[in-house]
Amino acid sequence: MTAIIESCRALGRLHRSKRSFELEKKEHRLNYLFWESTLTCNLSCRHCGSSCSPGQKRADELDGPAIKKIFKEIASDFDASDICIAVTGGEPLTRPDLFDVMGECHQLGFYWGMVSNGILITREVIRQMEQTGMGTISLSIDGDAKGHAVLRGSEKAYDQALRGLGLILEYGQFLDPVEVVSVVHSRNVDRLEEAYAVFASMGVRYWRLLNIDPIGRMKEPGQQDLFLNGKQFVRFLDFVVSKREEGLMDVSFEESGFLGLKYEGRVRDWHFKCPAGISVASILHDGAIGACPSLGRNMVEGDGRRERFSDVWNNRYQRFRDRKATRYKGPCRQCTWWDFCEGGSLHLWDWEAEKPLNCAYQLLRNAGHLSD
């Protein structure tokens, strides 16, 4: 009887979350803007969604004046204080004018943060972060040394990333949150406890975990060995639940798909939703206007070089805000949970095959772990 009551309560919470998300779609208030600052990187990671690599910058990369113009237009058309600019790449710190651009964004009223692999962080870099009003940072460290090296292609990258994290924790008190982001795959899923112990000993308060996804380089042949099977995925989610219940560190599973009543509301502070194009947008390296930068180029909505961002945001993005195109396609056709999943995260929807590239809920079902 207790289990039935709890399931009813969980379903009620799920319905309330759905109603709230429907209102978000109608209002589509922009609050998170990715800037893909460069496709240049100091690593060539096996799982990179943008297939970035070391080398000279791309010829079509926006220069400083061009991206500043776009940000000024956005600040003019929106309340900049409501928007967080999340600087991604590639590795943002390989861009020489990064702090010049972001210093001006700070002056315009934007809150901003960065996703970095941590290797290029020094005390001087941290000083520039503070001077330009940077408020948050996410450092990509994939669990332990071996799990990190599998993805990053470098035995040294783990120690370098930990050194950067240590500097941030010591000298970056102005940053809140300082977050570690880890991609979980078949080679590190059973070593999460060890990684947790390392991060906790360093004073990390926020740890965000992502499932490895079949996008970017992970769609290439020979990568399938890194994907989690159903039993591994269950162990992963159970680990997150246990650490959240302990409450010693804020551990969260990133948006990657609907998980059913057993895990929704337990592995993150919110129920599944894909906010791409609803509250989240992006300016890509060449000025293209999109949603989440993990999406393919077929999901671009406009061109920031020639169009005003606000016109694109207010008048397009229909396929993001109305997901019915995924309703009767592939395995979603008969799924009783579609209203809460809507085909999953858009970066995992295959528009040619008209089905999800990966379905977290089905993975759990196949493992015999869901009965709802």
Side-chain angles (χ1 to χ4, degrees):
M1 182 63 71
T2 301
I4 294 174
I5 292 173
E6 182 51 41
S7 291
C8 289
R9 289 173 175 169
L11 186 58
R13 291 190 291 268
L14 198 59
H15 277 283
R16 288 192 292 274
S17 176
K18 172 67 174 179
R19 288 194 293 270
S20 177
F21 190 42
E22 290 302 313
L23 181 60
E24 288 182 46
K25 291 180 184 178
K26 291 179 181 179
E27 295 179 343
H28 52 265
R29 293 184 58 181
L30 178 67
N31 58 40
Y32 206 78
L33 178 63
F34 286 102
W35 174 37
E36 186 183 63
S37 58
T38 182
L39 291 185
T40 300
C41 192
N42 50 347
L43 294 174
S44 184
C45 298
R46 183 173 173 180
H47 67 307
C48 182
S50 301
S51 300
C52 301
S53 59
Q56 294 183 337
K57 73 174 185 179
R58 290 269 299 265
D60 57 354
E61 184 177 294
L62 286 181
D63 61 19
I67 187 60
K68 286 180 181 180
K69 177 178 180 293
I70 294 173
F71 285 140
K72 286 178 182 177
E73 289 178 352
I74 294 173
S76 175
D77 296 342
F78 297 82
D79 184 347
S81 65
D82 287 341
I83 300 172
C84 174
I85 297 177
V87 184
T88 68
E91 170 52 52
L93 292 175
T94 64
R95 181 167 175 136
D97 65 347
L98 174 69
F99 291 112
D100 173 56
V101 172
M102 297 317 299
E104 187 154 329
C105 285
H106 176 60
Q107 293 299 317
L108 289 169
F110 291 106
Y111 179 80
W112 76 279
M114 181 193 304
V115 180
S116 171
N117 60 37
I119 293 175
L120 299 178
I121 290 175
T122 63
R123 290 187 64 177
E124 172 57 23
V125 165
I126 296 172
R127 184 187 66 80
Q128 293 180 77
M129 291 175 176
E130 184 172 20
Q131 286 184 336
T132 54
M134 184 171 160
T136 181
I137 190 166
S138 298
L139 292 174
S140 299
I141 307 175
D142 302 307
D144 68 345
K146 291 182 179 179
H148 192 76
V150 166
L151 295 185
R152 305 291 166 171
S154 168
E155 295 289 341
K156 299 178 181 179
Y158 178 75
D159 289 336
Q160 293 171 324
L162 283 189
R163 179 193 55 79
L165 173 61
L167 288 172
I168 286 289
L169 291 171
E170 184 174 1
Y171 300 106
Q173 290 85 358
F174 57 92
L175 297 169
D176 187 19
V178 173
E179 176 186 62
V180 172
V181 180
S182 300
V183 175
V184 178
H185 53 84
S186 63
R187 309 280 188 84
N188 67 2
V189 66
D190 293 321
R191 295 198 292 269
L192 296 177
E193 284 284 0
E194 291 89 334
Y196 179 89
V198 170
F199 297 145
S201 70
M202 295 180 69
V204 173
R205 294 165 51 205
Y206 302 93
W207 189 21
R208 182 160 51 99
L209 297 162
L210 294 77
N211 187 24
I212 193 162
D213 288 328
I215 60 174
R217 290 198 180 107
M218 284 303 298
K219 295 176 75 172
E220 298 174 2
Q223 303 284 51
Q224 288 71 24
D225 64 302
L226 290 182
F227 294 130
L228 299 180
N229 61 38
K231 291 183 179 180
Q232 290 171 326
F233 192 43
V234 167
R235 292 203 298 273
F236 171 23
L237 295 181
D238 285 344
F239 169 82
V240 175
V241 170
S242 69
K243 293 307 177 186
R244 289 175 64 84
E245 290 176 348
E246 287 179 12
L248 301 179
M249 185 189 299
D250 189 338
V251 180
S252 179
F253 174 65
E254 180 57 86
E255 165 256 314
S256 190
F258 178 74
L259 303 171
L261 294 182
K262 180 176 177 62
Y263 292 110
E264 284 298 332
R266 300 182 68 204
V267 296
R268 48 198 169 209
D269 293 336
W270 42 275
H271 292 78
F272 172 74
K273 60 182 178 180
C274 180
I278 296 167
S279 58
V280 175
S282 65
I283 306 296
L284 301 182
H285 76 280
D286 59 353
I289 299 172
C292 171
S294 295
L295 294 167
R297 298 294 292 198
N298 64 312
M299 300 299 287
V300 164
E301 292 291 308
D303 184 348
R305 293 179 187 266
R306 293 185 288 273
E307 300 176 279
R308 200 169 182 91
F309 175 90
S310 59
D311 291 338
V312 176
W313 179 255
N314 291 325
N315 298 305
R316 300 179 199 170
Y317 289 91
Q318 287 83 1
R319 54 185 167 171
F320 294 87
R321 296 163 191 170
D322 183 352
R323 295 284 296 276
K324 289 186 176 63
T326 69
R327 179 63 183 94
Y328 298 105
K329 306 293 174 60
C332 298
R333 179 173 299 159
Q334 298 179 342
C335 182
T336 58
W337 294 106
W338 186 88
D339 285 341
F340 304 103
C341 175
E342 298 188 328
S345 299
L346 275 173
H347 73 280
L348 292 175
W349 183 262
D350 187 331
W351 290 94
E352 292 185 4
E354 297 187 320
K355 65 178 183 179
L357 291 167
N358 180 52
C359 176
Y361 180 77
Q362 194 58 49
L363 192 62
L364 293 171
R365 295 271 307 186
N366 291 344
H369 208 68
L370 292 181
S371 58
D372 56 288

